[in-house]
Amino acid sequence: LQDGDINDFVIPLNVVGQGQRVVLDPDVFCFERPSEGEGREFRRQVRITNRTLGAIMRNRRFLNPLAYGWFALFLLSHKVLRFLVPFFFAGTFLTALGLAGQSVFFSVMALAQALFVGIGLLALRQRRGGRVGQLCSFFLLTIAAQFLGWVRWASGKTDVMWTPQR
């Protein structure tokens, strides 16, 4: 493993790379306490994104479906696409805004996304808003952290050290 590798992601990749199967035992699980406060959760998401992107790029051969079949498609759908959500979210919002004057559908979509962002920002600022506010704020926090994780990764900054909260 390299210093910045996420062991629970890279070790299974190495096993698959050796032509073996990775099998998860459904009877083995752990509980992890959530981060306390939005700031810690934000930093955690930035770190996870940064480290996972580095691991994916160093192991991108596993994205070849001709060599790794379904595993490559699962890796693409469960890891790569997940970290592209900030770009998809911004792209759909900008597209809906650009087309809002041409269609009621796109006007409604732009309004719905703006409302979603507004509720999330309000919930983050006031630390309330019920379940809907929590959902919107957590999503915004996550995609903002993922975006920053991309920026850090693209600029060559890696998050190597991690001190778990216990």
Side-chain angles (χ1 to χ4, degrees), residues 62-75:
F62 293 108
L63 293 170
N64 180 354
L66 298 177
Y68 293 98
W70 286 108
F71 182 79
L73 297 174
F74 287 128
L75 184 60

Side-chain angles (χ1 to χ4, degrees), residues 14 30 39 44 101 104-105 110 158-159 162:
N14 290 335
C30 73
R44 185 178 86 85
V104 172
F105 174 78
T158 56
D159 296 307
W162 170 56

